Amino acid sequence: MKKEILTLGVLFAIQAVCCQAQGLGDWIVSANIGIEAHDKRLFDYARPEREALLRMQPEFWGTYHFGVKARRKVLRSRRFSSFLGLGLGYEKATFIRPFDHHFFLERVNLIQTF
C-alpha cells in the first residue's frame, strides 16, 4: 500500500512542476501518465484455476499507460476552435492471464442450415 501512495505522490508532484500541457503559439503539446487497477475478469476459467491465478497475483494496481500528443489550432472563431494533431500512447498490463489457443477449435458451428 505504501508503494501505491508513494507512486501517486510522485506523479502529482511531477504534474505540478512540469505542467500537463504546454502551448507554443498555435501548437499545444501534452503528455499524460497513469496507473490503473488490474482487469481481473476471468471468463471460462474453472473455479480452482481462477482462484489460483488471483492468489498468484494479489496486486490491485499494475496497468500503466503513457501518452504524448501534439495539436495545432487550424480554425479559430469567437466561440469555436478546431485542432488537428497526432498522438502516441503506450499501455502495459502486468496481470498475467493465460489463453487457451484451442478454445475456438472446440466450438461447434452455430450456423444452422435448413
Side-chain angles (χ1 to χ4, degrees):
M1 184 65 177
K2 289 181 183 180
K3 181 180 172 183
E4 287 85 8
I5 293 172
L6 180 63
T7 304
L8 288 174
V10 169
L11 291 176
F12 283 125
I14 290 171
Q15 182 181 6
V17 171
C18 297
C19 300
Q20 189 175 3
Q22 181 67 39
L24 304 168
D26 283 345
W27 286 91
I28 296 175
V29 180
S30 61
N32 61 3
I33 187 169
I35 184 170
E36 302 171 23
H38 284 302
D39 180 10
K40 293 188 175 184
R41 295 177 289 176
L42 298 169
F43 301 107
D44 287 336
Y45 279 86
R47 187 173 192 91
E49 185 180 0
R50 179 185 315 135
E51 291 173 358
L53 278 172
L54 294 174
R55 252 192 326 274
M56 281 177 21
Q57 303 171 74
E59 300 88 13
F60 183 74
W61 301 101
T63 300
Y64 308 97
H65 68 268
F66 172 77
V68 178
K69 179 172 40 176
R71 299 174 291 173
R72 185 168 194 267
K73 194 179 293 187
V74 292
L75 179 65
R76 184 183 328 180
S77 67
R78 290 185 203 170
R79 295 184 183 180
F80 179 75
S81 294
S82 179
F83 293 90
L84 187 62
L86 186 65
L88 179 67
Y90 174 76
E91 182 168 310
K92 176 161 178 79
T94 57
F95 184 73
I96 298 169
R97 180 182 291 128
F99 180 74
D100 181 11
H101 292 280
H102 299 289
F103 179 78
F104 295 106
L105 297 177
E106 297 172 0
R107 302 289 182 180
V108 296
N109 189 0
L110 297 177
I111 301 174
Q112 297 178 0
T113 57
F114 294 100

